[in-house]
């Protein structure tokens, strides 16, 4: 696998793990982080041996937000790149992945660390995690599509509170509001995310891909339109080798061997 300056890439079976790796800076985000994430996640998405992508952080935090020292220096030089990211490439890549993604949160998920986690389909947090959308306290605003995702995830009122106060919230509060899926003991977020990924990876890859895309289409589609999406997807999936394999595995009382075709 390619070496990166700000990331570490690992594969455990069918699980591709992308770890933010600037532990001395609590994995604070720079433009280089964004560029490397796009490259690494695109490569994992194209790898048929990877069926689930997990995003994690090294050291004491998932991500403490943007590297303020870096951006302060850039501002003084007149070289600001338009905020934390230069483009919409990373959030669009995450939205259009062909496989599920899981964020494994621990320590702090602040600012872009919080909005980055929103781009994943599922979020596992260790019990000590603090999550905060600190943007309003820094004179900026949330990005990476978070003003689209957050109200749909927790409702407009709670999204407004999270964004307007700029406070840090506990993992327990975020779980109660539906921002994260589950809380696990301290130090076990990655382990539990991989375990969940392994359960997901037992399912047929094409079924996961079509289901994931249908769920996101459903956020915008009409009910009749979504029925049509499901009908067309099922028409295709019924014809796949994986569906035939599932039926044969049931007949033979054995686990199916899905190939993604």
């Amino acid at each position: 696998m390619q070496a990166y300056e700000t990331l570490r890439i690992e594969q455990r079976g069918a699980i591709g793990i992308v770890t933010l790796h600037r532990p001395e800076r609590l994995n604070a985000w720079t433009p280089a982080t964004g560029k490397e994430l796009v490259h690494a996640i695109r490569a994992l998405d194209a790898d048929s041996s990877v069926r689930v992508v997990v995003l994690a952080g090294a050291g004491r935090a998932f991500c403490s937000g943007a590297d303020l020292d870096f951006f302060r220096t850039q501002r003084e030089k007149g070289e600001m790149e338009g905020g934390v990211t230069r483009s919409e490439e990373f959030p669009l890549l995450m939205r259009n992945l062909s496989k599920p993604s899981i964020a494994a949160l621990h320590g702090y998920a602040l600012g872009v660390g919080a909005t980055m986690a929103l781009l994943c389909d599922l979020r596992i947090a260790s019990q000590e995690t603090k999550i905060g959308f600190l943007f309003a306290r820094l004179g900026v605003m949330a990005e990476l599509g978070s003003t689209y995702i957050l109200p749909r995830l927790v409702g407009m009122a709670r999204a407004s509170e999270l964004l307007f106060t700029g406070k840090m919230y506990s993992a327990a509060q975020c779980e109660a509001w539906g921002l994260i899926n589950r809380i696990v003991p301290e130090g076990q977020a990655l382990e539990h995310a991989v375990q969940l990924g392994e359960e997901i990876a037992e399912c047929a890859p094409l079924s996961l891909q079509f289901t994931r895309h249908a769920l996101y289409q459903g956020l915008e589609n009409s009910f009749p339109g979504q029925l049509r999406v499901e009908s067309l997807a099922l028409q295709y999936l019924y014809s796949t080798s994986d569906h035939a394999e599932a039926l044969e595995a049931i007949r033979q009382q054995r686990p199916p061997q899905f190939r993604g075709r």
Side-chain angles (χ1 to χ4, degrees), residues 45-244:
D45 197 40
D47 186 343
S48 61
S49 70
V50 174
R51 297 191 177 179
V52 178
V53 175
V54 171
L55 186 58
R60 296 184 293 116
F62 173 71
C63 175
S64 60
D67 189 327
L68 298 183
D69 288 342
F70 173 88
F71 285 104
R72 185 181 298 111
T73 300
Q74 294 297 100
R75 186 181 185 88
E76 291 170 354
K77 293 179 179 179
E79 298 177 358
M80 287 295 288
E81 297 192 27
V84 175
T85 56
R86 295 180 63 183
S87 72
E88 302 160 355
E89 190 173 16
F90 177 55
L92 289 174
L93 171 64
M94 293 298 292
R95 174 51 59 97
N96 294 315
L97 285 180
S98 65
K99 54 200 67 173
S101 60
I102 305 171
L105 309 179
H106 75 285
Y108 296 99
L110 306 178
V112 68
T115 59
M116 185 171 20
L118 290 182
L119 294 172
C120 293
D121 303 311
L122 304 166
R123 284 157 293 281
I124 306 294
S126 57
Q127 60 191 15
E128 86 291 351
T129 305
K130 299 293 185 183
I131 299 174
F133 300 84
L134 311 183
F135 303 94
R137 293 179 181 266
L138 296 172
V140 290
M141 66 171 285
E143 28 59 289
L144 298 184
S146 53
T147 57
Y148 175 93
I149 299 169
L150 200 55
R152 288 165 170 79
L153 196 61
V154 302
M156 183 62 77
R158 286 171 175 165
S160 298
E161 181 174 341
L162 287 163
L163 295 177
F164 292 170
T165 64
K167 290 168 50 179
M168 290 190 289
Y169 291 81
S170 68
Q173 182 66 76
C174 291
E175 182 188 38
W177 283 2
L179 185 60
I180 60 177
N181 292 79
R182 65 184 70 165
I183 297 174
V184 300
E186 185 172 350
Q188 296 184 24
L190 178 57
E191 174 188 341
H192 281 264
V194 170
Q195 185 178 68
L196 177 58
E198 289 171 343
E199 294 174 5
I200 293 170
E202 293 174 359
C203 298
L206 287 174
S207 296
L208 293 172
Q209 179 180 346
F210 276 76
T211 299
R212 184 181 184 278
H213 287 170
L215 283 169
Y216 285 115
Q217 283 180 286
L219 294 174
E220 301 297 325
N221 213 349
S222 66
F223 184 65
Q226 199 63 13
L227 290 175
R228 182 63 175 164
V229 167
E230 294 169 356
S231 178
L232 291 172
L234 278 169
Q235 183 178 352
Y236 173 77
L237 290 170
Y238 281 138
S239 70
T240 62
S241 298
D242 277 353
H243 177 56

Side-chain angles (χ1 to χ4, degrees), residues 26-45:
L26 297 182
N27 302 316
W29 174 293
T30 68
T33 309
K35 293 173 186 175
E36 292 192 343
L37 276 170
V38 167
H39 187 279
I41 291 175
R42 184 174 286 140
L44 291 175
D45 197 40

